[in-house]
């Protein structure tokens, strides 16, 4: 992935925008360097980062380096993938850092991943949708509310329809 891929999904009624970025690693390829730079910039404005690592390989220095690039004020969820491939001998010292173990292949751990993701987003349990809104969405909702109040005022003053459309 050189570009940032975006996908809007809804999990249990909560809208979430996923961004899939290029892997952050050392490279000499100029095109890959551009993708990695975009990825590093993306880290700065995300509300939550899913750091997914391969449980078979265990926690690597590259994983640790990436974790250190995540701003301190950014929520994070560390996901160990490929739990279906683990054997009894694969006991990694950093697994204690892992928030959830998951298998993208079999779906094992999916419900736990979803619940922890929603919890980190502040939308766990039965809560109103407003908790899932980001600041931009809240500002837009407020502006829409103000516009509707102006339209309501125009209507109550019996102003012509074209005045309504101005607001």
């Amino acid at each position: 992935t050189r570009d940032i891929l975006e996908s809007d999904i809804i999990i249990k009624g909560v809208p979430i925008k996923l961004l899939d970025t290029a892997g952050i690693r050392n490279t000499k390829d100029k095109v890959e360097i551009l993708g990695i730079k975009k990825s590093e910039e993306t880290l700065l404005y995300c509300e939550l980062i899913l750091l997914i690592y391969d449980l078979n390989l265990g926690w690597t220095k590259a994983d640790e380096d990436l974790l250190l690039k995540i701003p301190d004020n950014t929520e994070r969820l560390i996901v160990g993938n490929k739990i279906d491939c683990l054997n009894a001998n694969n006991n990694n010292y950093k697994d204690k850092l892992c928030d959830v173990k998951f298998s993208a292949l079999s779906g094992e751990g999916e419900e736990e991943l979803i619940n922890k993701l929603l919890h980190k987003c502040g939308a766990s349990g039965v809560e109103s949708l407003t908790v899932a809104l980001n600041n931009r969405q809240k500002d837009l909702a407020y502006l829409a509310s103000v516009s509707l109040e102006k339209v309501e005022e125009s209507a109550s003053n019996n102003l012509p329809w074209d005045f309504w459309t101005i607001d």
Side-chain angles (χ1 to χ4, degrees), residues 27-57:
T27 183
K28 293 183 183 199
D29 184 297
K30 291 180 182 182
V31 176
E32 280 191 68
I33 289 170
L34 292 173
I36 291 167
K37 184 176 179 188
K38 284 183 191 177
S39 297
E40 289 175 337
E41 290 169 359
T42 302
L43 287 175
L44 301 177
Y45 69 82
C46 288
E47 295 177 33
L48 170 69
I49 294 174
L50 291 177
L51 193 158
I52 303 172
Y53 75 100
D54 186 332
L55 286 167
N56 277 327
L57 298 176

Side-chain angles (χ1 to χ4, degrees), residues 27-165:
T27 183
K28 293 183 183 199
D29 184 297
K30 291 180 182 182
V31 176
E32 280 191 68
I33 289 170
L34 292 173
I36 291 167
K37 184 176 179 188
K38 284 183 191 177
S39 297
E40 289 175 337
E41 290 169 359
T42 302
L43 287 175
L44 301 177
Y45 69 82
C46 288
E47 295 177 33
L48 170 69
I49 294 174
L50 291 177
L51 193 158
I52 303 172
Y53 75 100
D54 186 332
L55 286 167
N56 277 327
L57 298 176
W59 187 258
T60 66
K61 176 159 178 14
D63 297 324
E64 186 68 29
D65 291 344
L66 182 55
L67 179 64
L68 294 173
K69 289 181 186 234
I70 300 172
D72 291 338
N73 62 341
T74 302
E75 287 288 337
R76 65 201 68 193
L77 188 63
I78 300 175
V79 180
N81 188 24
K82 299 185 181 179
I83 191 172
D84 53 313
C85 297
L86 285 181
N87 62 43
N89 298 329
N90 284 17
N91 209 354
N92 188 310
Y93 80 97
K94 281 287 189 176
D95 281 351
K96 295 178 183 92
L97 198 116
C98 184
D99 294 309
V100 61
K101 294 177 183 171
F102 172 73
S103 168
L105 181 65
S106 71
E108 183 181 350
E110 179 180 355
E111 192 63 28
E112 182 182 7
L113 175 60
I114 288 170
N115 291 334
K116 288 191 176 190
L117 174 65
L118 292 175
H119 179 74
K120 289 279 190 177
C121 290
S124 59
V126 181
E127 296 179 14
S128 71
L129 185 59
T130 56
V131 298
L133 297 178
N134 64 33
N135 288 335
R136 183 185 64 82
Q137 292 166 326
K138 286 179 189 175
D139 291 343
L140 291 173
Y142 173 75
L143 291 173
S145 172
V146 169
S147 291
L148 289 172
E149 287 173 7
K150 288 180 182 179
V151 168
E152 189 176 52
E153 183 181 336
S154 294
S156 66
N157 289 330
N158 295 320
L159 294 173
W161 282 96
D162 43 340
F163 279 85
W164 296 29
T165 59

